[in-house]
Amino acid sequence: MTINILLTGSSRGIGAAIATALAGPDITLIGHGTASGIPANFGDPAGPQTLWDTALDRLDGRIDVLINNAGIFEANPIDRPGDEWVADWDRTMRINLTASAELCRLAILHWQGRGNGGRIVNIASRAAYRGDSPQHWHYAASKAGMVAMTKSIARGYAAQGILAFAICPGFTMTGMASDYLSSRGGEKLLADIPLGRVAAPDEVAAAAKFLALEAPPSMTGSVLDVNGASYVR
């Protein structure tokens, strides 16, 4: 039977690499993004439900795997006016965490209705454990929330065949990471990665493919690090 997958943030970077890795005759993948799939604004509270309903319709009423990859990484210095700082904190939380949570909820309800389970793969970040720069509290907090949510789902629904996994990449050579490395002094940051380089998007994609399709059920709740040993637990 064909495996139906919904992947958010599939237009570029890690998301595009995941879409490529999952291409195959036995997989039907619906992407989310302005360039590669169904457009949905996760800054709008209606966005996740709209995306889910559209994807479900295009996949003939069945989604087997949800991969939450969409996210933003925007600086938010603490010396900004308070209302602006809070607004950008809320924006990052809504797009990075709340939208993912809404899609997880919809997926779980869908699988409970079908009675045969499914898989969630959440793309979090090394920042969930290590933290991030003084300008990115909100990003680190959103990704830590994603990890905690993943573990809660795994513990709560494993008996129903609903499995949840997370991936915590370090710096990955997407456009977003490349700009950040340059702005923060690339060589200094690279010196903190024992592997000597940042991850490639296809390395993260390989982990996502494994969790989405092959990981044994007993791995549910696992968090895979892809960070060149820049943070080990």
Side-chain angles (χ1 to χ4, degrees):
M1 182 177 68
T2 299
I3 298 173
N4 291 349
I5 299 176
L6 172 59
L7 166 65
T8 72
S10 61
S11 294
R12 61 180 183 175
I14 291 172
I18 293 172
T20 298
L22 288 170
D26 297 325
I27 294 173
T28 301
L29 184 141
I30 293 291
H32 148 253
T34 54
S36 65
I38 303 166
N41 177 13
F42 282 179
D44 178 354
Q49 182 75 61
T50 299
L51 172 63
W52 180 265
D53 291 343
T54 305
L56 199 61
D57 181 65
R58 293 190 186 180
L59 292 169
D60 297 324
R62 176 174 57 86
I63 293 174
D64 304 303
V65 178
L66 167 66
I67 304 176
N68 280 311
N69 169 71
I72 57 173
F73 182 81
E74 298 173 343
N76 194 20
I78 62 171
D79 57 359
R80 299 178 68 199
D83 57 344
E84 294 179 12
W85 189 87
V86 170
D88 276 4
W89 176 283
D90 289 345
R91 167 177 157 79
T92 289
M93 289 296 171
R94 161 136 288 282
I95 293 172
N96 288 10
L97 180 58
T98 305
S100 294
E102 291 179 65
L103 288 170
C104 286
R105 172 182 171 271
L106 292 167
I108 291 166
L109 291 171
H110 174 61
W111 296 327
Q112 287 177 329
R114 287 171 49 196
N116 60 350
R119 293 185 178 222
I120 293 168
V121 181
N122 289 321
I123 310 300
S125 169
R126 178 186 72 170
Y129 291 101
R130 178 174 152 151
D132 211 288
S133 80
Q135 300 184 49
H136 295 91
W137 297 6
H138 53 336
Y139 178 80
S142 71
K143 295 302 186 178
M146 180 175 269
V147 169
M149 176 178 71
T150 303
K151 294 181 178 182
S152 298
I153 292 169
R155 289 176 57 81
Y157 303 98
Q160 300 173 46
I162 296 169
L163 312 178
F165 312 92
I167 301 172
C168 284
F171 288 116
T172 306
M173 194 48 71
T174 65
M176 181 171 62
S178 178
D179 293 344
Y180 184 69
L181 281 167
S182 299
S183 70
R184 302 274 299 173
E187 291 302 317
K188 182 178 179 181
L189 287 180
L190 287 176
D192 191 39
I193 304 175
L195 187 62
R197 64 170 177 82
V198 299
D202 59 1
E203 292 180 297
V204 182
K209 179 180 180 180
F210 170 70
L211 295 176
L213 303 178
E214 302 169 15
S218 288
M219 280 188 66
T220 190
S222 295
V223 181
L224 301 186
D225 296 321
V226 186
N227 64 45
S230 60
Y231 187 80
V232 293
R233 295 180 285 120

